[in-house]
Amino acid sequence: MGQELETTKGFVCSHISEHSGYQYRQFLIQSLSSCGRDVSELLHSELLMTTDLISTYPGHEAIWYHRRFVLEHMLRSGSFFAGEFSPTSAETKEDRDTGPEPHALKRTRLESIALGYSSVVSSESDWCASLLCGFSVDSWQQTLVNHHLRWINHSLAKPY
């Protein structure tokens, strides 16, 4: 399935508005996840891919819908930890892992999930706000960013 994800990455990068490529990637990610595979790094790289595509090809709604799938899958599966999320950082978990802080050792898993969840929502909102600064008032991309912010506020209002 990893090979299939690489193949479809080329397809979605050259067929930006084609929903079927993103839907197939979503199917592959869900399949890997349901087989018990850790998809944390895959989801993070998928989020980075959508960040790049949105910046390079503004105004394509299909990319935004795929981004929402990735964020929801991250949050539902707990594929993040507090302090690890950045929608624009290419760092991997290994790059960030400098050892646990003493007070972090006392933190419960539930507290870590809650902190990670709010970190994801906050980082995504901040990223969207930064995008809004770069577009004209009547830009379609601005409309898509505002729709995404509304989705964040309504759909991601409570932890799963």
Side-chain angles (χ1 to χ4, degrees), residues 85-148:
F85 178 79
S86 171
T88 57
S89 171
E91 291 181 358
T92 63
K93 183 178 179 186
E94 291 77 25
D95 294 334
R96 294 181 301 269
D97 193 15
T98 58
E101 298 175 23
H103 69 279
L105 293 174
K106 296 178 184 177
R107 189 179 296 148
T108 67
R109 171 118 172 101
L110 187 57
E111 289 171 326
S112 293
I113 289 172
L115 286 171
Y117 182 91
S118 62
S119 172
V120 168
V121 172
S122 175
S123 294
E124 188 70 3
S125 296
D126 291 346
W127 177 73
C128 287
S130 73
L131 283 179
L132 286 174
C133 297
F135 299 104
S136 64
V137 176
D138 55 335
S139 169
W140 174 241
Q141 179 73 347
Q142 184 178 21
T143 301
L144 293 174
V145 173
N146 285 326
H147 287 189
H148 190 67

